[in-house]
Structure formats: C-alpha cells, structure tokens
Amino acid sequence: MPVITGEDYKKRIDAMESEVWFDGAKVTGKISDHPAFKGVVGTQSQLYDMQNESKIKNEMTFASETTGNDIGVSYLIPRTRADLEKRRIMIQHWARISGGLMGRSPDYMNTVLASFASSVDVLDGEDNCYPDRLLHFYEYAREKDLSFTHTFVNPQSNRSKLAFLEEDVTNARIIDRNEEGLIIKGAKLLATQGGITDEILVFSAPGAQESCHAYGFSLPTDTDGLKFVCRESFATKDSSFDYPLSSRFAEMDTIVIFDGVLVPWNRVFFHDNIRAATQMYLKGKFVPFTLHQIVSRQIVKTEFLLGIAQSIVDTINISDYQHVQSKVVEIVKGLETLRALLLMSEHDAKIDGYGVMVPSKQPLYVAVNQFQELYPRFTEIIQLLGASGLMTIPKETDFDTEIGEQLDHFLQGVEVKGKDRVALFRLAWDLTMSGFGSRQTLYERFFFGDPVRLSQTIYQNFDETKSKKMIEDFLSLKE
Ligand SMILES: Cc1cc2nc3c(=O)[nH]c(=O)nc-3n(C[C@H](O)[C@H](O)[C@H](O)COP(=O)(O)OP(=O)(O)OC[C@H]3O[C@@H](n4cnc5c(N)ncnc54)[C@H](O)[C@@H]3O)c2cc1C
C-alpha cells in the first residue's frame, strides 16, 4: 500500500473505537468529530495529503525496497548523507504546516520505529529477544503508513533513588506469560496523541530494576483492556481567528492504563531482559535518529517564533530601541546555533557496521538540551515585546458588532487596521499564554527527558581528553 491520504487516516482511526476517556466519559462516535481532537486530526490529515502532492512527492516519499510502493520518507532508514538531507527536508515540510508546534506529527514516531528497526543487532542472540519480529513489524508499519503514539515513562508516584525498594503498585509490568503472549497490567505515561493513532508503541525507559518492567511491543490502540485517559482539552474552540494555534494543532496527552492487556507474541519485540531494554537506547540508533527529527522541527519552530517577534516589533514600531533589537537577536542566535548543530550532525555522520548512516549524536544532544532553555526564553521575549498587546485581544465577533469600526480604529498598528493587529497578537497570545501555549513550553522542556539528566548525559559522553592535554602541554611549557 502506498502512502495514505488524510481521508484514509481519518477512516482508520474512526473505525478503531479505541477506549478514550475524556471529561468523565468514554468518547463515543467518530473521534475525528470530537471537539478535543477534530482540529489536530484535520491538520494531521493535511500532512498525510501532502505526501501525495505531485509537486513535492519526490521529497516526501521513496520507493519501498520490498514492494516498490511510495513510502513516507519519515520511515526511511538512511544509508547516505543524501538520505539524511532528504529526511530533514521532508520533516521540515511537515513542520512548516504547524510552525513546528506539532511535536508528534507522524514523522516523530515513524523515525523512532525506523531507529529501533535499524538497531535490531542489539537484540541478536539475547534472551527473550526477537529482532526478526521487530524488523517485520517495521516493514508492516512502513508499507501501511501506520500512525503511532507511544509511552515509555512510568507514573510519577515515587522518583526517589530508593524507589526500587518499595513495592511497585503503579508501573505497567508483565504479570503473566502464556501461550498467546504477555499480559500487561499497570500504567504508563504520557502518550501524546493517544487515541488518534493506529498503534501504540510501548518500550521500557532505561533504568528498569526488575525484568517484568523490561519489554518492547506495539499494539493496535483499540486492543482490549487498553485505556487512554485525557487531560483537559486546550482545543475546544473552533475559530482560527480567536485561537489560531489551539484550534488546529492541539495534541492531546493521555495516561495509558493496561488493564490486563494481552500482547500477542508476534507483537513482542523483547521481554524480561533489562540489558536489552537499556541497550536499545544506549547502543541503538534511537537517540541520533530521533534527535535529528526533533532538531529539524525545532528549527522551523524557532523560525516561526522569530517571525512573530519581528511582526510585533514592526506592528507597534519599536525596532529602533536597542534592547528590542537584542531580544530579537537572541532568537536569531538560537536559530543559527540550531541550524549549525543540525548540519554538523549530518556532516559528521558515519556509516555503521550495518550500512546505516548515523548522524553524530553529540551536536544533537547539545541542540535539544539548549532548546529546553531557549524555548521558554523565546516565549518570554514575545511577552516582553508584546506587553499589553497580549491582553488587548477582543474576539472576532467583537469586530462584527456596532463597535467593530471603533475597535479597528483604536487598536490599529503601524499601517494595519485593528483587526489585523489583533490577529497577530492573538497568535502571540495563543503561543505564549493560552493553555495550549503553556503546554508547548512544558513540552519543549520535558518531552525528550528531564533537562538536568540530559545535560548529565552530555557531560558523561563528551570526551574532554584533547582539551585537558592542551592544558597539560601549556603548563609544562618552559621558557
Ligand atoms: C507535554 C508532554 C508530552 C509528553 N509526551 C510523551 C509521550 O508521548 N510519550 C512518553 O513516553 N512520554 C511523554 N512525555 C513524558 C516525558 O518523557 C517526561 O516528562 C520526561 O522524561 C521527564 O520525566 P517526568 O515527567 O516523569 O519527570 P520526573 O522524572 O518525575 O522529574 C520531576 C522532577 O524531579 C527531578 N528528578 C527526578 N528524578 C531525578 C533524578 N534521578 N536525578 C535528578 N533529578 C531528578 C527532575 O529533574 C524534575 O525536576 C511527555 C511529557 C510532557 C510534559
């Protein structure tokens, strides 16, 4: 099957009837019509349609090595630097539709699955590991253009270093292994886009202490006993003037409950193997591939923020002030740094023993860890530039009343009528202050892991030997 269309995607998720809990009730009827999901499902459909646009089809797809069908580039396992570039171009095409605000557009998880499939050597010869099943599943997903949510992290009930001494009563764990497969009970978080994808990919995060917590599998999201519990929606309003971002790009986050869920053996990639669970992340290609996707998106997001900041500056005419210029330049510096780090990771990419072109990990780690600090600062800059403009934002309906003309007059900016100026400031507000905007900040801070431990990882991986040697040589210099 070649790449799907938006309509195919909608039909598939509507037909699934996954168990999704929202605001005290199970979602019934078509999930694509539900107010909490309608906007983002519409945008996601647009992304799938883009894969079929003749003008860019050769940038969005590649020919499957097994069927010859057109496959989405986000599933491509890169073999050359040109493949990495092709991946970047595709990812950024999709990211531009949402200004990089959909962290879980399908390319994110397709990349994750491709990274796991290209790391199956880690599972070779290990107990309870089935590399062939993972490879086969990757091919199945790639050919069907499946969409994924995922959950890797355990509930936050006890994060003490000594938590393993306590009895585990919350984390999703294997409670039985029978002829049919594994039985999983417990919870995991936080599945963004839970309920609006074909599948859920479930992997243990590194650090499992007991073998019942060390597994990797994938399931259709309508599997019996699987429940997705939503938070409050940030997307219940339709108007794209009033809520330019949250009406279209609000991805839901869900807690996942496994209520004695059966995972059939053909969907189990490994189980009861702590070393395999850890090595899939540490030795496998998950980190470099996923970070390459992430940083490609974050660059587009930074361009989007820069556009908003500069538009505010021009609309209220504050560009002559030095501090204003340096605030905009902070965003420019972030953008140029991200671009440089991404290109560096491609420039330093190396072919591994399996013929896969792996981007250099270190620049990407630095980029994503830096973005965890840069992004909240960028939103702060937009608030500092926008000031009260972020609160003088009547709704579209106000402009359609008898006071509409007055609003157009009193809220005007430089060479723009009040309504156009308000449209810009509502965009800035939705990005930096609405529920949707606050979640965006939390997302960029945490979605790829805790910033503190990420910087620790950079410290542990960076080789300082050359720099230390410089100092030794310098200190031993005699006159
Ligand atoms: C909007 C959003 C969407 C997300 N989407 C997904 C998703 O789709 N799938 C998924 O699997 N996950 C998702 N996540 C979860 C994400 O992976 C985690 O938030 C991240 O790994 C941090 O874990 P935590 O939230 O449990 O924080 P915790 O680990 O509980 O950290 C809380 C605080 O305690 C500190 N802390 C805890 N343990 C330590 C330690 N050992 N050493 C030092 N400090 C420590 C941290 O620094 C932090 O300040 C999402 C998160 C967010 C916010």
Side-chain angles (χ1 to χ4, degrees), residues 104 150-153 156 159 189-192 253 439 442-443 446-447 449-450 452-453:
R104 297 300 157 84
H150 77 292
T151 180
F152 293 174
V153 179
Q156 214 182 19
R159 291 285 193 256
L189 50 88
L190 181 68
T192 299
D253 304 298
R439 181 216 173 253
L442 194 75
Y443 181 82
F446 281 107
F447 79 94
D450 167 29
V452 175
R453 278 167 280 169

XYZ file of all heavy atoms in Angstrom, residues 104 150-153 156 159 189-192 253 439 442-443 446-447 449-450 452-453, ligand 1:
238
model
N 4.387 15.818 17.787
C 4.151 14.408 17.476
C 3.471 14.220 16.131
O 2.661 13.304 15.952
C 3.347 13.764 18.597
C 4.091 13.762 19.904
C 5.407 13.002 19.805
N 6.378 13.404 20.819
C 6.440 12.938 22.051
N 5.586 12.049 22.429
N 7.353 13.365 22.888
N 3.072 6.727 21.603
C 3.990 5.851 22.342
C 3.975 6.194 23.816
O 3.575 7.295 24.217
C 5.417 5.980 21.821
C 6.141 7.207 22.278
N 5.785 8.465 21.879
C 7.200 7.376 23.107
C 6.588 9.350 22.426
N 7.462 8.727 23.185
N 4.396 5.232 24.608
C 4.589 5.522 26.023
C 5.786 4.744 26.542
O 5.887 3.539 26.348
C 3.298 5.250 26.840
O 3.573 5.566 28.200
C 2.818 3.816 26.744
N 6.720 5.494 27.143
C 7.968 4.898 27.630
C 8.123 5.070 29.152
O 8.848 4.335 29.791
C 9.186 5.577 26.976
C 9.336 5.328 25.487
C 10.319 5.990 24.757
C 8.519 4.434 24.814
C 10.474 5.763 23.389
C 8.665 4.203 23.444
C 9.647 4.882 22.733
N 7.447 6.091 29.724
C 7.781 6.539 31.085
C 6.785 5.975 32.099
O 5.592 5.858 31.811
C 7.775 8.089 31.134
C 8.090 8.598 32.527
C 8.786 8.648 30.139
N 4.530 8.932 37.944
C 5.466 9.738 38.739
C 5.312 9.505 40.237
O 5.660 10.377 41.029
C 5.176 11.209 38.416
C 6.362 12.106 38.419
C 5.945 13.522 38.136
O 4.780 13.879 38.277
N 6.901 14.352 37.758
N 9.912 9.005 42.707
C 11.119 9.154 41.889
C 12.394 9.089 42.739
O 13.467 9.478 42.281
C 11.092 10.484 41.118
C 10.060 10.553 40.021
C 10.508 9.739 38.809
N 9.697 10.025 37.633
C 8.754 9.225 37.160
N 8.462 8.087 37.765
N 8.091 9.542 36.061
N 2.970 6.623 31.134
C 2.640 7.946 30.618
C 3.760 8.392 29.702
O 4.832 7.796 29.727
C 2.399 8.919 31.766
C 3.459 8.975 32.878
C 4.560 9.964 32.533
C 2.813 9.368 34.205
N 3.578 9.386 28.977
C 2.384 10.168 28.763
C 2.147 10.107 27.281
O 2.936 10.659 26.555
C 2.682 11.596 29.245
C 1.657 12.665 29.198
C 0.531 12.424 30.178
C 2.303 14.018 29.492
N 1.169 9.378 26.797
C 1.064 9.154 25.362
C 0.407 10.344 24.665
O -0.814 10.478 24.645
C 0.280 7.885 25.089
N 1.240 11.195 24.078
C 0.711 12.312 23.290
C 0.089 11.736 22.022
O 0.655 10.833 21.412
C 1.845 13.304 22.956
O 2.366 13.798 24.176
C 1.355 14.460 22.101
N -2.601 14.878 25.446
C -1.697 13.993 26.196
C -2.557 13.039 27.014
O -3.539 13.464 27.634
C -0.809 14.816 27.133
C -0.034 15.875 26.375
O 0.760 15.504 25.507
O -0.245 17.084 26.641
N 1.386 24.593 27.551
C 1.757 23.191 27.321
C 2.935 23.080 26.349
O 3.805 22.241 26.505
C 0.549 22.416 26.780
C 0.883 20.962 26.552
C 0.186 20.390 25.334
N 0.669 19.049 25.061
C 1.465 18.760 24.047
N 1.893 19.690 23.215
N 1.873 17.523 23.857
N 6.020 23.503 28.365
C 6.308 22.302 29.165
C 6.794 21.165 28.256
O 7.711 20.419 28.596
C 5.051 21.868 29.925
C 5.314 20.844 31.031
C 5.971 21.514 32.238
C 4.033 20.151 31.472
N 6.171 21.097 27.094
C 6.544 20.049 26.140
C 8.018 20.186 25.757
O 8.784 19.228 25.858
C 5.658 20.146 24.887
C 5.964 19.072 23.865
C 5.436 17.794 23.996
C 6.812 19.324 22.792
C 5.736 16.794 23.077
C 7.120 18.327 21.875
C 6.581 17.075 22.023
O 6.891 16.078 21.121
N 10.394 19.072 28.474
C 10.452 17.707 29.029
C 10.271 16.558 28.046
O 10.583 15.425 28.403
C 9.396 17.543 30.131
C 9.823 18.139 31.425
C 9.263 19.312 31.892
C 10.823 17.544 32.191
C 9.673 19.879 33.087
C 11.240 18.090 33.389
C 10.664 19.266 33.843
N 9.739 16.816 26.834
C 9.267 15.644 26.073
C 10.371 14.649 25.755
O 10.127 13.469 25.589
C 8.558 16.088 24.778
C 9.524 16.450 23.693
C 9.908 15.515 22.749
C 10.080 17.707 23.636
C 10.817 15.833 21.760
C 10.999 18.036 22.658
C 11.367 17.095 21.726
N 12.908 14.110 27.772
C 13.582 13.768 29.027
C 13.856 15.001 29.852
O 13.785 16.133 29.372
N 14.176 14.745 31.109
C 14.461 15.796 32.074
C 15.748 16.548 31.683
O 16.781 15.917 31.440
C 14.612 15.067 33.426
C 15.211 15.927 34.499
O 15.022 17.144 34.455
O 15.876 15.359 35.388
N 17.869 18.215 33.294
C 19.012 18.025 34.214
C 19.767 16.755 33.827
O 20.993 16.755 33.664
C 18.495 17.907 35.668
C 19.632 17.590 36.623
C 17.764 19.170 36.076
N 19.018 15.682 33.633
C 19.685 14.413 33.319
C 20.202 14.393 31.881
O 21.183 13.730 31.583
C 18.738 13.241 33.607
C 18.755 12.902 35.108
C 17.642 11.984 35.487
N 16.384 12.697 35.649
C 15.202 12.096 35.767
N 15.128 10.794 35.698
N 14.104 12.806 35.956
C 3.689 17.730 27.199
C 4.397 16.421 27.388
C 4.209 15.407 26.456
C 4.847 14.162 26.644
N 4.619 13.154 25.738
C 5.148 11.921 25.966
C 4.855 10.824 25.093
O 4.165 10.969 24.088
N 5.353 9.598 25.404
C 6.140 9.395 26.513
O 6.570 8.268 26.746
N 6.440 10.424 27.343
C 5.966 11.666 27.102
N 6.257 12.695 27.975
C 6.992 12.386 29.211
C 8.439 12.809 29.184
O 9.227 11.805 28.595
C 8.825 13.041 30.654
O 8.161 14.221 31.063
C 10.309 13.205 30.884
O 11.002 12.020 30.580
C 10.585 13.569 32.360
O 10.023 12.611 33.179
P 8.913 13.011 34.255
O 7.932 13.920 33.636
O 8.410 11.748 34.812
O 9.707 13.868 35.323
P 10.425 13.318 36.620
O 11.440 12.317 36.216
O 9.416 12.845 37.582
O 11.115 14.628 37.158
C 10.452 15.560 38.020
C 11.500 16.430 38.701
O 12.338 15.621 39.540
C 13.708 15.699 39.159
N 14.264 14.334 39.182
C 13.579 13.166 39.163
N 14.424 12.120 39.154
C 15.673 12.624 39.168
C 16.980 12.046 39.154
N 17.154 10.722 39.111
N 18.046 12.871 39.163
C 17.870 14.209 39.189
N 16.665 14.818 39.199
C 15.575 14.040 39.186
C 13.687 16.234 37.714
O 14.864 16.982 37.422
C 12.433 17.117 37.714
O 12.770 18.388 38.189
C 5.686 13.958 27.771
C 5.874 15.000 28.682
C 5.251 16.217 28.501
C 5.463 17.297 29.527
